[in-house]
Every structure is written in structure tokens, then in C-alpha cells.
Amino acid sequence: MEDRIYGLLGRKLGHSYSPAIHAQLGDAAYRCIELEPDQLGEFLKRDDIGGLNVTIPYKRDVLPFCTWTSESVRQIGAANTLVKRDGKLYAYNTDKPGFMEMTRRSGISVEEAKVLVLGSGGASLAVKAGLSSMGAAQIITISRSGENNYDNISRHYDADVIVNTTPVGMCPKCIQSPLSLQGFRNLRGVLDVVYNPARTGLMLQAEELGIPHASGLTMLVAQAIRSHEIFFDTEVPDEMTDSILRTLRSDSFNIILAGMPGCGKTTVAGELGRLTGREVIDMDEEVVKAAGKSIPDIFQDDGEKVFRDMESEQIARFGAMSGKILSLGGGAVLREENYAPLHQNGRIYFLQRDLSLLGMDGRPLSKDAATLENMYKERLPRYQRFADAEVENSGTPEETARTILSDFQSSL
């Protein structure tokens, strides 16, 4: 295995979880292989290729270089898995079974449904094949310039299910959505094959509207397992899917601390970092770095609005990252626009602490006990709006951190 090339072939792969998945399957040599289009042909001629997964934009481009294609590849017209045997490339498609597993686990039924598939690339072809196999009554492709497009989407407001196969909303351009869900009156499910971030802009809309939804992480894991089986002519136990999903969610989700100024977020975040080995990022410190001056000086020289603008910039920057511990400023919840960048990849904890114990030194808005109490009353609904869970920070920082970690693991 070690002297042959195994990996993911694509153009831009900084967002990929595939190496982590294949490492759990025992293939530590699996790596990302970024190529420009003019490099593709020469690379595929290499004799030391073992097995490759293929992603955007090469799922169809690799076919002319393949000696043999599976029935699924011929049906779909795209390949996401290549194996080289005796100097020849064999092409498979594991996206279709991966998507079907994702849909099954989501609990969203596509049987007899009108389904809109956003996008017309290689992933779209596999998704449509999977939908057909699962009994969808009507499958309509929505593209930028086709007969059914985003400008005339209103003609399909009666759709039952929407599946996004475009890269819109993918890291690093998170929060974006290919369309608005507001006009759809019959939606019973939204599926997004994007897996990073954990919640795309489309999924955040579905969540807000109470529509069942699922990300592409399950599809990614399921197709990777099938590819591994093809690479090494082996079988992977079914329980590995659940195990890998739990690990990926644990490793990729951010732990985010919100709460009043002086409630202990920084200290608890440091303890969480010690316990988990994760990087700790303090939003107030990042604002200070960006501004080149202290927070009291920002308030005095530039005003609160400038501070909040800078705070939102840092939240958008670090919220898109994975596997971090983020400690928010006390007023980060005051802007609704901060919710989506934080929620997309994280679980948010509201740290509660008795007001009499809150520190006020160096905090421009914490002038005295009465001001602090009024601030708490004003902000409490916002903390509760943002929070996935509330934690009382009345014990030691380690005790609070362990309570958060226990909840975090049980929520995955």
C-alpha cells in the first residue's frame, strides 16, 4: 500500500475531510492531490497509482483515460473512484450509494416526491440516479442557464424535496445559499451534499423554517468506505460508518462560549483547550490584534459600532474554521448576523454566573452593579437565542469545562 498513490484528486481541496476518513479505515498514506486541468492526463498515466477518489471538477474529465467503466459510471456519466490494475484505469461511482445512504439516514422520504436537484455537474448525475432508484416521482434539474433555472424557480414552489449538488455554501465561502426557501410551500426535506461547513446557508434556512435537513457528511463517509473496499478488495463492517461519523463531528465542530463580560469564558476556554488539545481563540483578543489597540481605546476613539463591526469580521473569519474553541465577547450576541457564522460549524454554550461574581475591570460597558444587571436583562434573550445549551459556571473552571465536554460528546 505504502509504495502506491492513494488519495483524493481535485483542483482545490483545502476543505476536504477525506484523508481523515481513510486514515480511520487504515490507509494512512491517503492524501489530497490538487491538479490543474492541464496536469490531469500526465498524472493519470503514472504506474504507481493505486486508488483515487475524484471530485470537482474532474468527475467526467477522467473518463477518457479509463480502460473500463462500471455500469454505474455508464449510467451516471461520471466517476468518483479510480483503481489502476495492470497499468489500466478502472472507473467506478460510489456517490450514488453514498447519497442513498445519506437520504436513508436523514429520514427524508423521496418516494413519489417532486425533487429539485440544484446543479448539473458530476455530483448531480449521481444524485439523480439515486433518486430514481429510490422512487422519486419527478426529478427536475435547476441550473443557472437551463430550461429550469433560478430566475423561474417559482414555477416549482410545489416541490417536496430539494437537493443541493452545487458547491455554493462550501468552505471557505460559507453561509451562501443557492436559493431562498421562503416560497416553497410543500417542502418536507432539504439535502445538501456539501459537508464543510456542517450547516450550509441552505441548511440554516431549513433549520430556521423547521424543515428536516441533512448535510453531505454521511454521503462523504459512505462513498469513501465503498471506495476503500474497491481499492483493497475488502469489506468494511457496517458499524464503521457510525464510528467515523462520530469522530468527524467531534473533531470538526467548534465549541463556542458565550456569556456576560466577566463570567469566566476565557478561563473555561483555556481549560477546555488543556483538556482537548484544541486551539483556543478569544474574539476580543483578535479584535485587539486587528485594531492595534485595546478595547477601551476602541470604544473611546472610534465608538461601539466600530468595535461591533470588527467583532463581526472576526466571528465570520473564525466561525468558518473547524475544531476550535471560540470564546466570544460579551456582546457578540447583540447582532443577529453573528449567529449563522457561529452556528454553521459549532455548538454554542451560554455560561451563566452570578452577577455579583462578574469582574468589571477594563470592561467599557460594565460600569457598576446596576448597569451590569440592566445589561444582563437586555442580553439574556439574545444569549438564549444563540445558545444550544446553558452551563452554570459556579464550580472550578475544570468542572465547568468537563460539563461542557460531556454535553458536547453526547450531542454528536
Side-chain angles (χ1 to χ4, degrees):
M1 186 190 307
E2 291 77 8
D3 59 350
R4 298 182 68 78
I5 297 173
Y6 293 91
L8 175 65
L9 177 62
R11 196 169 186 183
K12 301 295 181 183
L13 302 174
H15 64 282
S16 179
Y17 294 166
S18 291
I21 296 172
H22 285 269
Q24 291 187 67
L25 292 168
D27 185 3
Y30 189 100
R31 57 190 173 90
C32 289
I33 303 163
E34 294 186 341
L35 297 178
E36 291 301 311
D38 60 357
Q39 299 174 301
L40 184 64
E42 192 62 31
F43 176 80
L44 292 176
K45 293 177 184 177
R46 293 184 58 147
D47 292 329
D48 56 351
I49 290 175
L52 301 170
N53 287 121
V54 184
T55 189
I56 298 171
Y58 300 131
K59 291 187 177 185
R60 285 182 280 197
D61 294 347
V62 298
L63 295 182
F65 301 96
C66 297
T67 301
W68 179 89
T69 57
S70 68
E71 182 180 349
S72 62
V73 171
R74 294 191 293 272
Q75 176 196 15
I76 295 167
N80 79 317
T81 302
L82 304 179
V83 178
K84 181 158 278 192
R85 304 187 185 107
D86 301 322
K88 300 175 182 179
L89 278 177
Y90 292 72
Y92 302 83
N93 192 300
T94 66
D95 278 338
K96 176 184 173 181
F99 171 73
M100 293 174 69
E101 179 69 3
M102 164 191 176
T103 304
R104 183 185 69 79
R105 284 174 173 255
S106 75
I108 297 170
S109 173
V110 298
E111 188 174 1
E112 299 299 323
K114 176 177 179 177
V115 184
L116 302 188
V117 177
L118 311 183
S120 55
S124 171
L125 299 171
V127 163
K128 287 185 285 188
L131 290 168
S132 180
S133 294
M134 289 184 287
Q138 193 176 7
I139 303 169
I140 297 170
T141 302
I142 307 296
S143 61
R144 286 174 292 184
S145 57
E147 176 186 356
N148 297 291
N149 55 65
Y150 298 97
D151 292 329
N152 60 29
I153 193 71
S154 59
R155 67 171 66 168
H156 299 298
Y157 275 170
D158 61 338
D160 301 302
V161 177
I162 292 176
V163 185
N164 178 44
T165 71
T166 77
V168 177
M170 181 184 292
C171 186
K173 296 182 179 181
C174 308
I175 308 302
Q176 295 181 4
S177 178
L179 51 68
S180 170
L181 299 179
Q182 288 295 333
F184 294 92
R185 55 188 181 271
N186 296 331
L187 273 185
R188 64 178 186 234
V190 173
L191 300 164
D192 198 327
V193 303
V194 173
Y195 58 86
N196 186 6
R199 302 179 181 97
T200 61
L202 187 65
M203 290 178 62
L204 289 170
Q205 284 190 71
E207 182 177 87
E208 198 70 22
L209 294 169
I211 301 168
H213 54 280
S215 82
L217 190 62
T218 299
M219 177 177 173
L220 177 73
V221 172
Q223 67 80 26
I225 288 174
R226 180 62 189 126
S227 294
H228 179 86
E229 291 176 331
I230 293 170
F231 291 164
F232 303 111
D233 191 24
T234 188
E235 290 187 12
V236 175
D238 291 341
E239 55 267 24
M240 278 298 294
T241 302
D242 290 320
S243 174
I244 293 173
L245 282 170
R246 280 194 301 271
T247 299
L248 286 177
R249 288 171 180 145
S250 175
D251 291 347
S252 63
F253 262 58
N254 296 320
I255 299 174
I256 303 170
L257 306 185
M260 287 285 287
C263 73
K265 298 184 297 292
T266 299
T267 305
V268 173
E271 192 63 32
L272 283 166
R274 185 186 71 80
L275 292 172
T276 64
R278 293 179 179 227
E279 180 183 5
V280 177
I281 299 170
D282 187 293
M283 289 297 107
D284 281 348
E285 289 182 4
E286 295 303 324
V287 171
V288 169
K289 289 179 189 176
K293 53 185 171 182
S294 70
I295 291 176
D297 285 345
I298 298 172
F299 271 75
Q300 179 177 314
D301 299 343
D302 308 302
E304 184 175 355
K305 182 181 183 303
V306 170
F307 171 77
R308 297 297 174 204
D309 289 343
M310 298 180 71
E311 182 178 54
S312 293
E313 289 177 7
Q314 298 307 315
I315 285 172
R317 174 188 172 195
F318 289 102
M321 295 183 178
S322 299
K324 309 297 183 183
I325 295 167
L326 307 184
S327 176
L328 304 182
V333 299
L334 293 176
R335 287 190 173 182
E336 179 64 23
E337 70 190 70
N338 292 337
Y339 177 71
L342 293 168
H343 186 58
Q344 65 177 332
N345 267 336
R347 185 163 175 83
I348 304 173
Y349 291 90
F350 171 26
L351 257 62
Q352 286 271 31
R353 189 171 176 83
D354 190 287
L355 293 183
S356 65
L357 301 177
L358 302 189
M360 292 186 282
D361 292 343
R363 304 183 189 279
L365 300 181
S366 302
K367 298 176 182 178
D368 50 49
T371 302
L372 206 60
E373 184 172 354
N374 287 334
M375 184 193 302
Y376 177 75
K377 289 178 180 178
E378 175 192 348
R379 292 183 179 182
L380 179 59
R382 302 302 303 162
Y383 289 130
Q384 292 173 331
R385 150 72 177 135
F386 272 56
D388 295 296
E390 295 186 18
V391 175
E392 184 70 32
N393 186 26
S394 56
T396 67
E398 181 177 353
E399 288 171 342
T400 302
R402 290 192 181 280
T403 297
I404 290 171
L405 283 178
S406 175
D407 173 86
F408 181 72
Q409 291 296 332
S410 65
S411 72
L412 299 174

